[in-house]
């Protein structure tokens, strides 16, 4: 085999490999995930974002259901309003009541459903759905929040597969909220403890019991988190384009080198 052909094939293979690596590194983030704003400490409260990317080129996401584990129940799960989306909180009775701020709670939030109401998550886009959670359990290191994503094409994707220790990431992994060590004040960095009235009114859509200062903090944290996620997505796309350009340049260089040597 001539030197020119070897150079051309090597350049082509290198370009394709580099482009594939960069592009695949971007798609690794293309699944529903949960991201805390600040710290999610055991025994405390936290504000988190459920991040939902749209994975289809010919359909839009119109519904999201997120289920919460009842073996480690959360007495308070409050969605922050998202323009163009309607949130519904579902509660279930507990076999064993919870003790929270001196009160016994016989039911906990088992699911939150967001349904498009004038908005969609279109191709190449993502949406964040903020939640205030608490009181976080103290006897586990993480919470698995299983999600179901529905497209306007009627396709349903179930993000419910749990990661097995030592195994590869499943095809449709469930979102996992990692919990940090308990803080001194038992208030996770992303949220504040709701009042008893707030816990009771969470499913009715009434205003929560956070004071104005806590509310301002959550809105600011949500904005910062959204900006950070947007920046990360933009960086991934830019890297993907750069990888493609480098691959094309490698192919062109190999072809030109081969022609010069042949001449």
């Amino acid at each position: 085999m001539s030197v020119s052909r070897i150079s051309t094939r090597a350049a082509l293979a290198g370009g394709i490999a580099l482009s594939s690596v960069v592009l695949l590194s971007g798609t690794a983030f293309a699944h529903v995930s949960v991201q805390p704003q600040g710290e999610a400490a055991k025994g405390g409260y936290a504000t988190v974002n459920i991040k939902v990317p749209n994975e289809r080129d010919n359909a839009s996401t119109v519904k999201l259901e997120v289920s919460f584990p009842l073996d480690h129940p959360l007495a308070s799960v409050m969605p922050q309003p998202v323009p163009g989306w309607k949130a519904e909180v579902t509660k279930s009775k507990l076999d064993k009541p919870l003790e929270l701020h001196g009160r016994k709670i016989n039911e906990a939030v088992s699911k939150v459903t967001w349904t498009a109401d004038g908005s969609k998550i279109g191709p190449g886009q993502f949406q964040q759905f903020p939640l205030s959670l608490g009181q976080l359990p103290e006897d586990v290191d993480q919470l698995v929040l299983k999600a179901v994503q529905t497209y306007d094409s009627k396709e349903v994707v179930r993000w419910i597969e749990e990661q097995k220790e030592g195994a590869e990431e499943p095809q449709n992994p469930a979102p996992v909220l990692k919990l940090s060590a308990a803080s001194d004040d038992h208030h996770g960095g992303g949220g504040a403890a709701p009042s008893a009235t707030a816990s009771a009114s969470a499913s009715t859509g009434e205003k929560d019991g956070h004071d104005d200062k806590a509310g301002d903090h959550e809105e600011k944290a949500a904005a910062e988190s959204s900006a950070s996620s947007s920046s990360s997505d933009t960086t991934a796309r830019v890297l993907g384009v750069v990888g493609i350009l480098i691959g094309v340049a490698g192919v062109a260089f190999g072809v030109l080198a081969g022609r010069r040597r042949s001449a």
Side-chain angles (χ1 to χ4, degrees):
M1 183 180 293
S2 67
V3 175
S4 61
R5 289 186 178 180
I6 294 176
S7 300
T8 301
R9 292 187 178 182
L12 179 60
I16 293 175
L18 181 58
S19 300
S20 299
V21 168
V22 175
L23 290 177
L24 289 176
S25 67
T27 59
F29 298 95
H31 53 70
V32 176
S33 61
V34 56
Q35 303 168 339
Q37 296 179 18
E39 185 180 25
K42 297 178 181 179
Y45 292 78
T47 300
V48 303
N49 283 324
I50 307 296
K51 185 177 180 182
V52 185
N54 192 88
E55 294 190 309
R56 301 295 179 260
D57 296 328
N58 56 355
S60 297
T61 298
V62 293
K63 185 178 181 180
L64 175 71
E65 301 168 78
V66 176
S67 297
F68 297 84
L70 290 180
D71 54 344
H72 297 287
L74 301 173
S76 175
V77 177
M78 294 180 286
Q80 179 176 312
V82 177
W85 293 83
K86 179 182 178 182
E88 179 183 357
V89 177
T90 302
K91 289 188 175 184
S92 299
K93 289 186 177 181
L94 299 175
D95 295 332
K96 182 180 179 180
L98 282 176
E99 290 281 349
L100 183 66
H101 303 304
R103 297 173 57 245
K104 281 190 176 181
I105 298 176
N106 296 313
E107 60 180 11
V109 173
S110 56
K111 183 170 66 173
V112 177
T113 303
W114 288 271
T115 305
D117 186 21
S119 182
K120 295 180 180 181
I121 308 175
Q125 299 178 343
F126 75 94
Q127 177 66 54
Q128 295 191 119
F129 299 94
L131 289 169
S132 175
L133 306 179
Q135 185 172 356
L136 298 174
E138 300 182 58
D139 56 349
V140 292
D141 296 323
Q142 64 182 30
L143 290 177
V144 179
L145 312 180
K146 297 183 178 181
V148 177
Q149 182 178 11
T150 303
Y151 290 87
D152 56 10
S153 62
K154 307 302 180 182
E155 179 186 5
V156 176
V157 181
R158 302 181 185 277
W159 304 96
I160 61 175
E161 300 177 50
E162 297 189 37
Q163 176 70 53
K164 302 296 183 182
E165 186 176 356
E168 295 183 359
E169 183 181 61
Q171 183 176 357
N172 295 316
V176 176
L177 176 63
K178 301 288 186 179
L179 303 181
S180 59
S183 57
D184 294 336
D185 60 0
H186 268 208
H187 286 69
S195 65
T197 302
S199 298
S201 64
S203 62
T204 64
E206 297 177 8
K207 293 183 179 179
D208 61 38
H210 299 287
D211 56 26
D212 292 339
K213 183 177 180 180
D216 292 342
H217 171 73
E218 290 188 2
E219 291 179 2
K220 181 179 179 181
E224 291 175 350
S225 176
S226 178
S228 175
S229 298
S230 178
S231 176
S232 298
D233 283 5
T234 300
T235 301
R237 292 183 182 181
V238 170
L239 288 175
V241 174
V242 171
I244 293 174
L245 293 177
I246 292 176
V248 173
V251 174
F253 177 79
V255 172
L256 290 175
R259 289 180 176 177
R260 289 179 180 176
R261 294 191 180 187
S262 298

